[in-house]
Amino acid sequence: MRQNTPTLEDLDLLRWDLRQDCVDIIMAGGGGHIGGDMSMMDALMVLYLRHLRVSPETVDDPNRDRFVLSKGHAMEAYYAVLCHQGFLDLADVKARFQQFGSPYIGHPNNKLPGIEMNSGSLGHGLPVAVGMALAGKMDGRDYRVYTIMGDGELAEGSVWEGAMSGSSFALDNLCAFVDRNRLQISGCTEDVLRLDSQEERWAAFGWNVLSIDGHDLAAIDAAITLAAETKGKPTCIILNTVKGYGSPVMEGKAPWHHQLPNAQEYAQISADFVARKEAALHA
Amino acid sequence: MPNKIPNRQAICDVLMRAAESDRDVVVLCSDSRGSASLTPFFERFPQQSVEVGIAEQDLVGIAAGLASCGKKAWAASPASFVSTRSYEQAKVDCAYSRTNVKLIGISGGVSYGQLGMSHHSAQDIAAMSAIPGMRVYLPSDRFQTARLVEALLADDKPAYIRVGRNPVEDIYADDDCPFQMDRATWLRRGSDVAIVATGEMVRPSLEASRELEAQGISATVLDMYCVKPLDVEAVVEAASAARCVLSVEEHSPYGGLGSQVAQVVGERCPRPVRCLSLPDEPVVTGTSPQIFAHYGLDAGGIAAAARDLLARAGE
């Protein structure tokens, strides 16, 4: 873990502010993938604020940790975190997200500081992360590589090619998250194409597997630490999450994969974030 | 004495020389090191070699990840697979993300002529050329292949290189291989027909030009190893000096060298153009020479096409 990191108590409050930023970005741009943003946000926040060794000053440092957003459509959550960490300016992102000629597109754009690779098409992040981790091993660098995949994304065969190579190359500097929110555009993942059991599948592919509550900040934090301590194999952290986490308006509802809140829904979602932050403050 | 060194071996030789002094040169294969003639590299530089198994998407994705961390990643796999199975990785992870990945399509075109359409790559020029930021090269002999690889080692942009499986007759020599990056090589200058060829079609085009010369027909032969970026000025110069233009390629009739040459000629110096290529159908079973002869992609067929085109141009 890095020095001078925020506490988990700090993050228990911050996560609601970041969600509000994320929703505001979506509203400003007139669209986004809000459900997956909300399910992934807690893990992304804990990773960036407590573990990932990269800052706006070190985006070109060969020893920096790498992060690849494989579920690239959850870009708005990524913008919120990148802005909070000082890579990007929140006001500028909100002003220009998805506008004509803007660099702030709906998927990762590696012309922006802090973004390593372009993505958007699913199933790309893990093989790319394998390559990054392999380069670290070749060069004897101690950086770590992280990627976050969606669960619907796991139907892509290239994910499993990457899974095979990750364990075959014994990449213990590699950590993959699966945002297991169990919903994709067409509905429940198990109705679209059966994905259970992810724990057994990743273990069978030779990975260290940690399956946790993806909204339990302490569990996320401990899992990332444990992954870094695990030698000889890569780690897959399965984040059991709720799509749209943070407001009953969206939670567990497939249409909120990319639904845009109307004014009333926006007000309710924002109020729910405030209420949850208040509850955390007084817990 | 016929040349016995295939272009793929020339690639390996240059990469091995580079790897001696540059540990960032990395070669990746998908159970294809033998067919890519890269076994010597894997044996000499195991720490700079990556075997991913039969997984072309993984091959190109990993290459892009390596390249994003400063590696010069050369990924070799049969052209039929690397240009299609991992097309999206070439598009997103290499070209769109601007990573220094060089994709080597081995056994290109109809090198695997007897193995069926699954193993032919008659679409790779069109597919790769259509990706913004992806360059496409088809060197014509082993000496030019070496010069090309040396030039590509010096830049940090993605590219696709197609080579055939079998040795091809030399066009150049080790001490006589004029090469300028992204500029076609003028093999002959003529005034009747401008022949623009790429890859393995350059040699029969050159032979055709000699046959035509004996018949009193003056032909230009351009070795357009750089299909993208096409050497537009060379095409315009060659076409402007001739009455008609003939393109020759081991590729589908759609979206390859011929399409690009016809675009340029039509826009800049209109005159009759004929595009010699493979047909828009699974090609006949056979060895490469048999297939080329069948479709008129040998010296005799190219010369005949040139005479026919000239006759029409003269009407």
Side-chain angles (χ1 to χ4, degrees), chain A residues 192-213:
Chain A
V192 177
L193 187 78
R194 187 159 59 86
L195 298 175
D196 280 335
S197 147
Q198 282 306 307
E199 289 78 1
E200 292 177 6
R201 294 185 196 207
W202 286 93
F205 274 73
W207 287 57
N208 175 43
V209 182
L210 303 170
S211 185
I212 61 171
D213 176 347

Side-chain angles (χ1 to χ4, degrees), chain A residues 95-116:
Chain A
R96 297 199 285 155
F97 176 52
Q98 299 195 143
Q99 302 302 311
F100 179 76
S102 171
Y104 307 120
I105 56 182
H107 291 101
N109 171 10
N110 71 350
K111 289 185 176 174
L112 293 173
I115 297 180
E116 301 280 354

Side-chain angles (χ1 to χ4, degrees), chain A residues 152 166 169 253:
Chain A
F169 300 154
K253 297 171 184 171

Side-chain angles (χ1 to χ4, degrees), chain B residues 7 11 136-149 160-164 168 171-172 179 198-202 223-226:
Chain B
N7 293 348
I11 295 176
V136 178
Y137 300 102
L138 285 78
S140 59
D141 82 349
R142 57 185 168 134
F143 300 110
Q144 189 186 59
T145 299
R147 301 293 186 279
L148 173 66
V149 173
Y160 171 77
I161 307 104
R162 186 226 273 189
V163 291
V168 289
I171 296 168
Y172 309 101
F179 180 86
T198 193
E200 292 194 24
M201 293 297 102
V202 174
D223 179 347
M224 192 63 73
Y225 74 88
C226 45

Side-chain angles (χ1 to χ4, degrees), chain B residues 39 54 59 69 73-74 88 193 197 201 270 281 289 307:
Chain B
T39 302
I54 306 168
L59 175 84
C69 295
W74 292 71
E88 196 179 75
V193 56
M201 293 297 102
E281 61 188 30
R307 286 191 298 271

Side-chain angles (χ1 to χ4, degrees), chain A residues 64 66 105 108 110-111 117-119 121-122 124 127-128 130-132 134-135 138-139 143 158 161-162 165 169, chain B residues 23-24 26 47 50-51 55-58 61-62 64-66 68-69 71 88-89 92-93 96-99:
Chain A
R64 71 191 183 280
R66 269 75 168 177
I105 56 182
N110 71 350
K111 289 185 176 174
M117 292 289 285
N118 295 334
S119 62
S121 178
L122 297 170
H124 285 239
V128 166
V130 165
M132 292 174 166
L134 198 54
M138 286 176 170
D139 290 344
Y143 66 74
S158 52
E161 292 183 11
S165 52
F169 300 154
Chain B
R23 68 189 181 98
D24 285 332
V26 175
Q47 303 305 315
V50 182
E51 174 59 72
E56 291 80 11
Q57 296 183 77
D58 211 25
I62 291 173
L66 285 162
S68 81
C69 295
K71 298 298 179 189
E88 196 179 75
Q89 280 74 17
V92 178
D93 304 343
Y96 185 33
S97 292
R98 303 179 311 285
T99 51

